[in-house]
Amino acid sequence: MDYADLLRTATFLANYVDPTDLDGRPSEANLRRSVSTAYYAAFHALSQSCADTLVGPYSEDSNEEYWVAAYRTLEHRQVKNKLNNGERMTRFSDQVRDFAKRLGDLQDSRHRADYDPEAVLEQDDVLQLLINTQAAIEGFNAVPERERRFLAVYLIATLR
């Protein structure tokens, strides 16, 4: 799953106006799906980083099974709980902590967009959320591989 493709889809949804819609704004459903898709873009960026740092870049000829296993290891609730562990997270750089905060905020926004029938989403707010998500992913991907590997181990291992 390409996180960049998910972000493009989220941006398309946030900007798409049905030509038959007289108010000239994106639909509520499109804005809600855009927010949800932004969260999944960030989560898939994290999943890819974990797989790449633990197994190596995806390669069908040698490591596909292990790469996919590492990619699919992350569970949403567990990731959020671990990324919210202030004591453990102090060991990571500001860029990793910023990404962790953004991912938690995105998950909250996704839950609101997906499950709160009274939530009102404004196009400008959703577009800013997408800009912030892109910046958080880029910042996270710029973190040295060694630190991202430590984060991967932290997220998938049971530390005793």
Side-chain angles (χ1 to χ4, degrees), residues 71-85:
Y71 189 100
R72 297 199 60 206
T73 297
L74 298 182
E75 296 178 6
H76 298 272
R77 185 177 308 221
Q78 180 182 8
V79 166
K80 185 173 183 179
N81 289 340
K82 285 191 170 191
L83 294 180
N84 282 334
N85 182 330

Side-chain angles (χ1 to χ4, degrees), residues 24-139:
R25 298 180 346 185
S27 70
E28 177 184 354
N30 281 357
L31 293 175
R32 287 174 180 268
R33 292 308 314 152
S34 178
V35 169
S36 187
T37 302
Y39 165 74
Y40 283 109
F43 190 84
H44 282 284
L46 178 61
S47 297
Q48 181 178 341
S49 174
C50 289
D52 287 350
T53 60
L54 294 174
V55 180
Y58 179 84
S59 171
E60 290 182 22
D61 60 343
S62 64
N63 66 6
E64 176 183 9
E65 177 183 358
Y66 301 107
W67 189 91
V68 171
Y71 189 100
R72 297 199 60 206
T73 297
L74 298 182
E75 296 178 6
H76 298 272
R77 185 177 308 221
Q78 180 182 8
V79 166
K80 185 173 183 179
N81 289 340
K82 285 191 170 191
L83 294 180
N84 282 334
N85 182 330
E87 181 182 334
R88 292 272 185 189
M89 289 304 294
T90 60
R91 299 172 185 185
F92 293 99
S93 67
D94 288 343
Q95 285 174 298
V96 168
R97 288 195 310 272
D98 289 347
F99 178 78
K101 177 164 180 6
R102 169 59 50 195
L103 189 64
D105 291 347
L106 280 166
Q107 190 177 40
D108 293 342
S109 295
R110 182 190 75 83
H111 286 167
R112 186 171 161 254
D114 287 351
Y115 304 117
D116 183 353
E118 295 180 338
V120 176
L121 301 176
E122 298 294 333
Q123 182 184 25
D124 289 343
D125 296 335
V126 172
L127 291 172
Q128 187 60 55
L129 178 138
L130 297 174
I131 290 167
N132 294 344
T133 301
Q134 177 71 38
I137 293 171
E138 288 173 0

Side-chain angles (χ1 to χ4, degrees), residues 1-8 41-42 44-45 48 134 137 141:
M1 178 76 50
D2 180 13
Y3 75 84
D5 192 35
L6 288 169
L7 279 176
R8 283 188 293 275
H44 282 284
Q48 181 178 341
Q134 177 71 38
I137 293 171
N141 284 337

